[in-house]
């Protein structure tokens, strides 16, 4: 995995090569990706770190993210746009992939209400129906977990028998999801943490898991969140949180999230407690419905 120092250096080098002066790069977030505010410029660099483990070509995911966010911004949808101070990318510098985004003032402590989250997702889906580009069919749901399962083998984070259970669950869910219809461009990771509260209102952020998928996938992401009352948010979206058709998406979302936190722990041991908790929750209820019923 790319060291943080190399990631920051690459982001600064590419930005300055395009005329953006950087005096004080500040890491805003270091979890699955590294996000760096290139102060004093109003630019945020995104570098895939843990997420690169699940993607054969991380630059492809960033390119799709830039394309979708650019389309939405041009259409007037409430999203964090790519930077207009330099080409958004993605750029690759010495093996480090980076994209550039506008830095927006926001309140990280703002509690998004269920009603606001549900209405925001409904509006996003309406805007995304017009996206003209090609997107992978459920790629982050069907394909990326295969790479994560391979990365976890021999990591010591997951026992072989538990890894086999995770593999079997993914195979079963893949069989159920391959023939779903009603696909359109969807966010892919539509939880309230990807809504930024700005002075001008809520802005959607983080489209790197955007894909061609059923809108029910994003609804399941919202239903499973622990940041707010997911059931109320789904009703505000205009859907029934008890719709049996959501069950397969809820289960697949639960598995997907579990694999990502396990992969993060495999490379950053400080995340092991969170990973063990997530794995135990999945083992207790692979359907994911216990969390969705809270």
């Amino acid at each position: 995995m790319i060291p943080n120092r190399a990631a920051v250096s690459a982001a600064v080098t590419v930005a300055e090569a395009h005329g953006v002066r950087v005096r004080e790069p500040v890491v805003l977030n270091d979890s699955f990706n590294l996000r760096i505010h290139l102060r004093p410029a109003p630019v945020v660099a995104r570098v895939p770190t843990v997420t690169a483990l699940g993607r054969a070509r991380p630059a492809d995911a960033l390119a799709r993210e830039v394309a979708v966010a650019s389309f939405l911004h041009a259409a007037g949808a409430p999203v964090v746009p790519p930077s207009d101070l330099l080409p958004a990318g993605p750029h690759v510098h010495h093996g480090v992939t980076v994209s550039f985004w506008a830095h927006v003032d926001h309140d990280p402590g703002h509690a998004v209400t269920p009603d606001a989250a549900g209405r925001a997702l409904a509006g996003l889906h309406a805007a995304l129906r017009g996206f003209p580009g090609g997107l992978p069919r459920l790629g982050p749901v069907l394909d990326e977990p295969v790479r994560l399962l391979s990365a976890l083998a021999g990591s010591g984070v997951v026992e072989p028998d538990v890894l086999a259970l995770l593999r079997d669950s993914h195979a079963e869910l893949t069989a159920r999801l391959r023939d779903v219809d009603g696909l359109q461009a969807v966010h892919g990771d539509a939880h309230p943490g990807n809504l930024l509260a700005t002075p001008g209102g809520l802005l959607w952020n983080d489209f790197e898991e955007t894909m061609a998928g059923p809108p029910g996938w994003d609804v399941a992401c919202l239903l499973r969140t622990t940041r707010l009352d997911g059931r109320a948010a789904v009703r505000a979206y205009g859907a029934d949180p008890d719709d049996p058709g959501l069950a397969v998406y809820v289960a697949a979302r639960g598995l997907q999230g579990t694999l990502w936190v396990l992969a993060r722990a495999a490379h950053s041991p400080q995340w092991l407690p969170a990973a063990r908790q997530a794995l135990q929750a999945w083992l207790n209820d692979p359907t994911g419905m216990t969390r969705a019923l809270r």
Side-chain angles (χ1 to χ4, degrees), residues 88-278:
H91 307 262
V92 180
H93 179 77
H94 292 173
V96 179
T97 306
V98 58
S99 60
F100 296 102
W101 300 84
H103 179 268
V104 296
D105 291 328
H106 66 283
D107 177 7
H110 177 82
V112 179
T113 67
D115 184 65
R119 288 187 288 105
L121 183 58
L124 179 66
H125 281 171
L128 282 169
R129 289 187 195 107
F131 179 68
L135 295 170
R137 180 186 173 93
L138 285 167
V141 183
L142 302 182
D143 302 331
E144 291 178 4
V146 175
R147 293 182 61 84
L148 295 175
L149 286 162
S150 296
L152 286 168
S155 67
V157 172
V158 187
E159 296 296 325
D161 58 334
V162 175
L163 188 61
L165 289 174
L166 292 165
R167 288 185 189 278
D168 289 347
S169 179
H170 177 63
E172 187 268 332
L173 289 166
T174 294
R176 294 171 61 190
L177 288 168
R178 284 214 181 274
D179 296 326
V180 296
D181 55 14
L183 306 188
Q184 68 159 79
V186 297
H187 186 286
D189 193 21
H191 62 78
N194 283 328
L195 278 169
L196 301 188
T198 75
L202 296 175
L203 299 183
W204 282 104
N205 187 36
D206 191 0
F207 285 84
E208 66 176 317
E209 292 186 41
T210 191
M211 60 184 178
W217 173 263
D218 280 351
V219 174
C221 293
L222 195 55
L223 182 61
R224 275 185 51 85
T225 186
T226 58
R227 296 171 184 262
L228 49 72
D229 183 342
R231 293 175 62 80
V234 168
R235 285 192 290 268
Y237 170 87
D240 178 3
D242 295 313
D243 179 357
L246 292 175
V248 65
Y249 308 133
V250 170
R253 174 66 172 180
L255 176 64
Q256 179 201 48
T258 301
L259 292 175
W260 276 116
V261 297
L262 289 170
R264 180 176 62 178
H267 288 268
S268 300
Q270 71 267 27
W271 294 105
L272 273 170
R276 292 191 181 108
Q277 183 178 12

Side-chain angles (χ1 to χ4, degrees), residues 11-137:
V12 170
T13 298
V14 174
E16 291 190 332
H18 286 88
V20 175
R21 187 175 183 182
V22 183
R23 293 180 180 172
E24 184 187 7
V26 176
V27 172
L28 301 176
N29 183 270
D30 179 11
S31 181
F32 295 98
N33 293 303
L34 199 66
R35 297 182 187 179
I36 311 146
H37 184 191
L38 303 181
R39 292 179 177 173
V43 177
V44 173
R46 179 200 291 271
V47 178
T49 52
V50 174
T51 57
L53 300 173
R55 295 162 188 165
R57 294 177 295 277
D60 289 354
L62 293 191
R64 289 191 294 270
E65 179 180 30
V66 169
V68 169
S70 296
F71 164 80
L72 290 168
H73 181 59
V79 298
V80 176
S83 176
D84 60 0
L85 296 182
L86 74 168
H91 307 262
V92 180
H93 179 77
H94 292 173
V96 179
T97 306
V98 58
S99 60
F100 296 102
W101 300 84
H103 179 268
V104 296
D105 291 328
H106 66 283
D107 177 7
H110 177 82
V112 179
T113 67
D115 184 65
R119 288 187 288 105
L121 183 58
L124 179 66
H125 281 171
L128 282 169
R129 289 187 195 107
F131 179 68
L135 295 170
R137 180 186 173 93

